[in-house]
């Protein structure tokens, strides 16, 4: 038998019930009503099967049902105070089955409600009768059997019965005419309603109230909330230990801020149809349309700004209105702290996994989590026939604590699939791999890739090598689950599935290298990029009236750069959806901005950004006359801390020369290299060169302050080399050196570290790049 934990604090007892109608004028929601008790018997002297609780109220006009417990739910809790507080205890908060309630009278509920459960599955409660005062109000509760397994310590000063229906509260203080009062047995007769009404603070009712640090409604004194409603805090895990980031968010955010309770997103009558209770929340969030904004999902894995959940939470934190409509969350409660909001951001950006730990979220949530694991983004739904097509890069190996940049190829042929209607196909260039000379027009792309990605560049192969050429290597099947028995077996890429247009999981050899230069006979990225991103998820929709062309068949070159910081082996995958252009988007063709003329201005193999210093470089870009620029972006690596773009007019200049930042506010600013801003603009540029020219600058920081990116060090940068080596440690920090002894704090001290390096241009994340991106028509 289970005994409740003891506490010197009186632990109350609750019974909760909800029903509609019968609302006296003096009564309001959130009211607590003291009622008089006629009789109570509590007997726990024998084995659990013979435990019993029977409580009856007097006929009370104060009883009134405001809610129907069959639709809103109900709960029961009992407490006893012990003599002088010693031996105080309580039952669990017993939530009753909504389906076991029945409305009395005609119409149903007009004479109250009756609960009946022969199985006594909910804490041993067999029946509850709840009749409104208008017909001689009555509250009667019978509980017994093994499921009512607590033991009554005694003697007791009083036993409290509390009854709650959502925000209606009833309580009886039984301690007047006491007939039996001993260990395990308490029997009392008529007792007046408690003079002070129900207690303002009722520990154990599952509701956080004034004076409580926590209230989880259970008797587990080993969890994060002790039985006296004080925090049981592990200093290393203040908010608990969890198996995954989502489990921690469920506890700290959804439950900790009251999002999953009865007036918000519980399982019975959830606001907006969103159930955020444990066990249900995940399935109700991922890829599920929001009722307030049906064209948007509650959570878009990889993309917080497009996730309605994040939008509503950030609106609460920042005191703004949600972009997707509705009210900020939590509704009526305290907003999320900046750290908790950032944890939700990191979880979604990390692919919104259910069972994995996302880097950085343990600290933000003040919890303990397992080591971060490689993250996998859910496979997005294909657009569907007549709407668009989906292409997939097959998984490539990404071992633990590794970084690589690779190229691989996949083949597709959409002719005959029915995905692109004939009416949407147009004539274009005949090529070796697109012999029909047909293309389709598209208006929007959505790229989703595993969050380990640093960048993706997706391009069409522009060469003539046949699929059987040795440069492609052996075409093999590759799976995310590498235990698949077909892993590594040969495949024919031209044997395409008539429903998708490609041979699933079939791809060329995987080659480590830069921009696919060593695959496809030296053609590299071929005829230009048509997709790519530095982010796990990016949706790119062209301006109104704009489209781009894509061949109905061909070879796709996937240039993928990723790093796996975890101690677990993983793979890297990505998926590209292309949505067809509509009849109103057939006026102009989209052109990419990829201004990389000064990509390695900081130096490639020499020069660089010295350790403990910063550098800023600027350059210009001029689009064609009469162009309309409709989005802007940027690309740098780890030390790129501030990228800015100024709109026209600007004079021509080059990086490393006369270029310098302007003094006014820039058009574009981005401070996160791994998640750069994608800015929508609308700039028509009909004028001369200066009136079309953009100025862009990027500041790089190689450990100049304690809050800067870490200084590049050798040999931690294996494979990169060390240019401009200098002392890492004080007092000689930054001084040029060639051996450790030159960095000693004093002669012969032996504490010198000659391993700080300059950051130079290159393709790894420890190197740097300087690129302005965007799109125009």
């Amino acid at each position: 038998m289970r005994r409740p934990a003891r506490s010197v604090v009186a632990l109350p007892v609750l019974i909760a019930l909800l029903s509609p109608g019968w609302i006296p004028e003096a009564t309001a929601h959130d009211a607590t009503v003291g009622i008089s008790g006629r009789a109570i018997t509590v007997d726990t002297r024998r084995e659990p099967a013979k435990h019993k609780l029977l409580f009856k109220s007097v006929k009370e006009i104060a009883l009134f049902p405001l809610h129907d417990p069959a639709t809103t739910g109900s709960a029961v809790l009992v407490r006893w105070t012990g003599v002088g507080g010693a031996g105080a205890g309580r039952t669990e908060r017993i939530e009753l089955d909504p389906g076991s309630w029945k409305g009395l009278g005609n119409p149903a509920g007009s004479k109250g409600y009756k609960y009946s459960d022969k199985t006594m599955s909910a804490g041993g409660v067999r029946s509850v009768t709840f009749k409104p005062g208008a017909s001689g109000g009555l509250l009667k509760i019978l509980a017994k059997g093994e499921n009512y397994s607590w033991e009554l310590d005694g003697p007791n000063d009083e036993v409290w019965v509390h009854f709650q229906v959502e925000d209606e509260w009833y309580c009886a203080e039984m301690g007047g005419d006491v007939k039996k009062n001993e260990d395990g047995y308490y029997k009392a007769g008529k007792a007046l309603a408690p003079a002070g009404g129900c207690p303002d603070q009722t520990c154990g009712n599952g509701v956080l109230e004034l004076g409580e640090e926590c209230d989880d409604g259970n008797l587990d004194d080993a969890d994060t909330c002790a039985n006296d409603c004080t925090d049981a805090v592990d200093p290393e895990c203040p908010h608990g230990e969890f198996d995954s980031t989502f489990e921690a968010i469920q506890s700290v955010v959804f439950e900790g801020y009251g999002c999953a309770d009865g007036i918000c997103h519980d399982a019975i009558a959830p606001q907006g149809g969103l159930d955020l209770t444990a066990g249900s929340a995940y399935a109700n969030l991922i890829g599920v349309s929001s009722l307030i904004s049906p064209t948007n999902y509650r959570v878009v894995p990889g993309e917080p700004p497009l996730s309605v959940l994040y939008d509503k939470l950030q609106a609460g934190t920042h005191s703004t209105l949600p972009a997707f409509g509705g009210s900020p969350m939590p509704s009526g409660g305290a907003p999320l702290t900046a750290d908790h909001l950032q944890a939700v951001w990191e979880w979604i950006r990390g692919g919104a996994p259910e069972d994995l730990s996302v880097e950085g979220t343990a600290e933000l949530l003040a919890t303990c989590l397992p080591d971060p694991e490689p993250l996998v983004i859910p496979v997005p739904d294909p657009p569907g026939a007549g709407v668009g097509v989906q292409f997939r890069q097959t998984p490539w190996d990404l071992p633990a604590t590794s970084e690589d940049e690779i190229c691989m190829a996949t083949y597709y042929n959409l002719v005959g699939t029915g995905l692109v209607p004939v009416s949407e196909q147009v004539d274009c260039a005949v090529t070796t791999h697109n012999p029909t000379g047909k293309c389709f027009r598209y208006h929007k792309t959505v790229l989703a890739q595993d969050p380990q990605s640093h960048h993706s560049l997706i391009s069409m192969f522009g060469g003539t090598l046949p699929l059987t050429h040795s440069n492609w290597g052996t075409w093999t099947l590759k799976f995310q689950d590498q235990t698949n028995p077909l892993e590594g077996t040969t495949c024919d890429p031209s044997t395409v599935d008539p429903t998708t247009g490609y041979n699933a999981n079939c791809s060329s050899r995987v080659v480590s290298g830069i921009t696919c230069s060593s695959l496809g006979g030296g053609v590299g990225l071929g005829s230009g990029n048509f997709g790519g991103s530095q982010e796990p998820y990016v949706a790119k929709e062209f301006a109104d009236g704009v489209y781009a062309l894509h061949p109905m068949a061909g070879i796709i070159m996937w240039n993928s750069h990723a790093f796996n910081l975890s101690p677990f082996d993983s793979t890297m995958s990505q998926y590209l959806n292309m949505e067809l252009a509509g009849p109103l988007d057939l006026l102009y063709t989209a052109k990419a901005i990829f201004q990389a003329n000064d990509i390695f201005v900081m130096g490639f193999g020499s020069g660089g950004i010295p350790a403990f210093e910063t550098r800023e470089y600027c350059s210009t870009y001029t689009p064609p006359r009469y162009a309309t620029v409709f989005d802007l972006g940027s690309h740098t690596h780890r030390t790129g801390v501030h990228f800015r773009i100024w709109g026209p007019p600007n004079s021509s200049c080059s990086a490393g020369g006369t270029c310098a930042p302007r003094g006014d506010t820039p058009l574009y600013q981005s401070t996160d290299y791994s998640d750069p801003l994608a800015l929508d603009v609308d700039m028509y540029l009909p004028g001369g060169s200066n009136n079309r020219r953009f100025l862009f600058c990027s500041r790089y920081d190689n450990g100049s302050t304690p809050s800067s990116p870490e200084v590049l060090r050798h040999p931690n940068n294996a494979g990169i080399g060390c240019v401009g080596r200098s002392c890492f440690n004080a007092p000689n920090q930054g001084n040029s050196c060639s051996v450790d002894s030159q960095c000693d704090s004093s002669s012969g001290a032996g504490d010198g570290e000659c391993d700080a390096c300059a950051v130079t241009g290159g393709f790894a994340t420890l190197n740097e790049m300087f690129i302005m991106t965007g799109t125009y028509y």
Side-chain angles (χ1 to χ4, degrees), residues 1 41-54 120 123-124 142-152 184-186:
M1 289 181 285
T41 299
V42 183
D43 189 351
T44 65
R45 293 171 296 177
R46 289 163 289 183
E47 63 272 17
K50 296 183 178 181
H51 285 187
K52 179 180 180 181
L53 162 72
L54 176 63
M120 298 172 285
L142 173 63
K144 59 183 180 179
E146 294 182 350
N147 291 328
Y148 195 57
S149 57
W150 50 274
E151 291 189 13
L152 179 70
Y185 190 48
Y186 184 88

Side-chain angles (χ1 to χ4, degrees), residues 28 83 103 147-148 158 161 171-172 190 315 359 387 389 398 432 450 468 514 568-569 686 698 720:
V83 176
N147 291 328
Y148 195 57
E158 57 196 15
V161 174
C171 66
K190 187 172 182 179
E359 179 74 32
V387 179
V389 299
L398 191 60
T432 301
D450 294 338
T468 55
I514 299 165
F568 308 98
D569 292 341
S698 182
I720 303 299

Side-chain angles (χ1 to χ4, degrees), residues 312-323:
K312 289 172 72 68
L313 290 173
Q314 67 82 26
T317 300
H318 298 138
S319 300
T320 60
L321 292 176

Side-chain angles (χ1 to χ4, degrees), residues 558-588:
W558 303 85
N559 170 221
S560 180
H561 183 181
F563 45 89
N564 180 5
L565 302 179
S566 79
F568 308 98
D569 292 341
S570 184
T571 59
M572 179 68 209
S573 302
Q574 56 181 318
Y575 316 90
L576 181 70
N577 285 357
M578 303 178 75
E579 297 184 15
L580 303 177
L584 300 180
D585 297 314
L586 305 178
L587 300 177
Y588 313 102

Side-chain angles (χ1 to χ4, degrees), residues 25-74:
E25 291 183 2
T27 302
H29 288 291
D30 297 315
T32 61
V33 181
I35 60 175
S36 300
R38 178 183 174 186
I40 186 172
T41 299
V42 183
D43 189 351
T44 65
R45 293 171 296 177
R46 289 163 289 183
E47 63 272 17
K50 296 183 178 181
H51 285 187
K52 179 180 180 181
L53 162 72
L54 176 63
F55 167 79
K56 294 181 181 180
S57 74
V58 300
K59 291 188 176 182
E60 279 275 7
I61 63 170
L63 288 165
F64 50 88
L66 295 179
H67 303 284
D68 181 354
T71 58
T72 58
S74 53

Side-chain angles (χ1 to χ4, degrees), residues 514-685:
I514 299 165
T515 66
C516 293
S517 58
S518 58
L519 189 68
V523 175
L525 287 177
S527 59
N529 300 342
F530 66 91
S533 176
Q534 287 178 256
E535 305 172 65
Y537 181 99
V538 61
K540 187 171 185 177
E541 186 168 4
F542 298 148
D544 291 345
V546 178
Y547 69 93
L549 293 177
H550 194 80
M552 286 290 291
I555 297 175
I556 298 177
M557 310 289 282
W558 303 85
N559 170 221
S560 180
H561 183 181
F563 45 89
N564 180 5
L565 302 179
S566 79
F568 308 98
D569 292 341
S570 184
T571 59
M572 179 68 209
S573 302
Q574 56 181 318
Y575 316 90
L576 181 70
N577 285 357
M578 303 178 75
E579 297 184 15
L580 303 177
L584 300 180
D585 297 314
L586 305 178
L587 300 177
Y588 313 102
T589 56
K591 306 291 184 183
I593 298 172
F594 194 76
Q595 179 63 354
N597 292 352
D598 298 300
I599 183 173
F600 299 138
V601 61
M602 66 290 301
F604 187 75
S606 62
I609 304 154
F612 310 106
E613 295 188 25
T614 66
R615 292 283 189 273
E616 184 157 38
Y617 303 99
C618 300
S619 188
T620 56
Y621 164 74
T622 308
R625 193 173 185 183
Y626 306 115
T628 296
V629 176
F630 61 86
D631 71 58
L632 293 171
S634 60
H635 180 89
T636 65
H637 286 179
R638 185 180 62 92
T639 58
V641 295
H642 195 187
F643 199 105
R644 294 177 287 173
I645 301 174
W646 287 266
N650 291 287
S651 298
S652 177
C653 61
S654 60
T658 58
C659 261
R662 281 172 28 184
D664 57 334
T665 301
L667 173 68
Y668 171 100
Q669 296 192 71
S670 183
T671 57
D672 185 350
Y673 87 94
S674 63
D675 190 9
L677 174 68
L679 179 68
D680 292 330
V681 296
D682 183 10
M683 303 185 69
Y684 175 56
L685 304 169

Side-chain angles (χ1 to χ4, degrees), residues 180-226:
K180 289 287 185 181
N181 191 2
E182 59 190 51
D183 192 8
Y185 190 48
Y186 184 88
K187 185 173 183 179
K190 187 172 182 179
L192 298 176
C198 298
D200 292 334
Q201 179 266 338
T202 307
C203 181
N205 62 3
V207 179
L208 187 64
E209 298 164 316
L210 184 65
E212 296 179 337
E213 295 178 3
C214 60
D215 196 327
D216 55 9
N218 66 44
L219 289 176
D220 185 359
D221 210 25
D223 61 13
T224 57
C225 186

